């Protein structure tokens, strides 16, 4: 019975097993195909040290290292407006650990806001299966306030964030939550 | 005397020897520091095949390949608006070869326009030392018209593009030309 129940649940929340990044990529593909938005994930930044150029074959990178990103992972255009965000998931149920963010991401989001762009983070509580669009303004405030403290409370994210409504296609229809955020900023 | 003259010229057009990408990065740094715009170059997309995880050392990529980009190289936010562009240079004096573009870049720019974003290319004629902001709409038109033909004429770029005025800091103050473009779209 347990197993049956799990299977049923797995059918209902069919994409539950997908990683957050896959879900966002799927949503972005859907938005692009349906002309709702153009959002892409930026490539992983890499420092290339050595490249081989074999005759009659593609250049082969033989030594490279991962480099810390200076921005967020996603940006694009939605109804003429610039949107910029990062995505983070946690197994926690009551709070979101700030150690998931880096100072340069916070700084980047602050720069975006000061230029009139729309900045936020998608925070997914995987155990609760709930995703939120949490405004950059709230994140920056928490980052400053919680200096030393560990986490943003789930309550704060519920209060200042916008829940991503359940959806089948795409499974993480985050622009619905962005719409609510933009509506409340009006 | 020849040498002296060259040196003087090199002083006046001090950054002439910089590659176009360096000039754009320098402009973007200037815009960021002066809160005029937030524009970043996207990392080069790479397909990673093999990674070593040596004990007590950073992960080392030992096999990877360059991947064709599905978008343009630069995007960001300027006065609340989304901007998206690629940069190309040529030694030609009378035309710009279309082979410098790929279909996916044209498609991406068309998607950006349909979403209300600002799309363009920065075209630099290195021999003439002239740079233009050439609107995506004009590029897409030429791409369709010139099917089979080789190049956009310099005359067309002069007519439909916006010259980047000479400047010292940053040496390629391309937002000045973007301003002219936006003004004429009003
Ligand atoms: Mg991330
Ligand atoms: Mg390029």
């Amino acid at each position: 019975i347990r197993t049956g129940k799990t299977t049923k649940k797995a059918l209902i929340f069919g994409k539950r097993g997908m990683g957050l990044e896959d879900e966002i990529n799927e949503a972005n593909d859907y938005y692009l195909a349906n002309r709702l938005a153009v959002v892409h994930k930026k490539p992983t930044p890499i420092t290339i040290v050595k490249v081989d150029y074999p005759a009659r074959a593609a250049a082969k990178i033989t030594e490279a290292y991962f480099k810390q990103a200076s921005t967020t992972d996603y940006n694009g255009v939605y109804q003429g407006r610039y949107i910029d965000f990062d995505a983070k998931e946690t197994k926690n149920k009551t709070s979101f650990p700030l150690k998931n963010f880096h100072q340069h991401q916070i700084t980047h989001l602050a720069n975006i806001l000061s230029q009139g762009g729309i900045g936020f983070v998608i925070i997914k509580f995987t155990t609760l299966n709930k995703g939120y669009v949490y405004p950059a303004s709230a994140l920056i405030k928490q980052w400053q306030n919680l200096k030393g403290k560990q986490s943003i409370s789930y309550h704060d994210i519920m209060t200042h964030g916008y829940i991503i409504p359940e959806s089948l296609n795409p499974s993480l229809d985050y622009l619905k939550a962005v719409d609510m955020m933009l509506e409340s900023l009006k």
Side-chain angles (χ1 to χ4, degrees), chain A:
Chain A
I1 288 162
R2 256 278 183 240
T3 315
K5 218 174 172 183
T6 310
T7 309
K8 201 178 164 197
K9 245 192 152 171
L11 280 171
I12 294 169
F13 303 106
K15 309 275 175 59
R16 196 173 178 175
M18 278 175 96
L20 178 57
E21 196 176 292
D22 296 324
E23 284 193 293
I24 293 172
N25 293 341
E26 185 207 50
N28 291 341
D29 288 346
Y30 177 89
Y31 297 148
L32 185 64
N34 292 279
R35 300 187 162 275
L36 294 167
V38 182
V39 182
H40 290 278
K41 182 172 193 297
K42 291 173 208 163
T44 306
I46 300 255
T47 304
I48 298 169
V49 177
K50 235 184 267 172
V51 184
D52 271 7
Y53 297 93
R56 283 180 296 277
K60 179 182 174 180
I61 299 161
T62 56
E63 186 181 350
Y65 299 91
F66 295 100
K67 190 163 74 177
Q68 194 165 68
S70 55
T71 65
T72 47
D73 280 348
Y74 302 87
N75 70 358
V77 56
Y78 176 46
Q79 299 177 345
R81 300 190 64 179
Y82 176 86
I83 66 174
D84 190 300
F85 60 99
D86 220 298
K88 310 278 186 188
E89 50 192 333
T90 182
K91 287 177 183 164
N92 286 16
K93 292 177 192 173
T94 56
S95 67
F96 185 81
L98 274 172
K99 68 167 191 288
N100 285 288
F101 293 100
H102 302 284
Q103 179 62 53
H104 62 268
Q105 292 176 314
I106 306 289
T107 304
H108 174 70
L109 285 169
N111 288 336
I112 293 308
L113 294 187
S114 81
Q115 199 49 235
I118 301 167
F120 56 92
V121 281
I122 293 177
I123 296 179
K124 184 154 185 190
F125 291 89
T126 53
T127 311
L128 306 170
N129 197 27
K130 298 234 178 288
Y132 289 86
V133 162
Y134 186 65
S137 55
L139 175 66
I140 293 163
K141 213 169 169 179
Q142 290 294 320
W143 182 265
Q144 286 161 346
N145 289 348
L146 296 178
K147 221 168 180 161
K149 267 212 201 173
Q150 297 294 322
S151 303
I152 311 176
S153 68
Y154 186 77
H155 182 262
D156 182 86
I157 292 166
M158 258 181 65
T159 310
H160 297 107
Y162 299 85
I163 195 158
I164 301 172
E166 274 190 49
S167 160
L168 277 175
N169 183 25
S171 67
L172 194 83
D173 194 1
Y174 68 83
L175 283 181
K176 288 267 166 43
V178 170
D179 284 340
M180 289 189 287
M181 179 174 77
L182 293 177
E183 193 56 44
S184 81
L185 289 178
K186 268 181 189 165

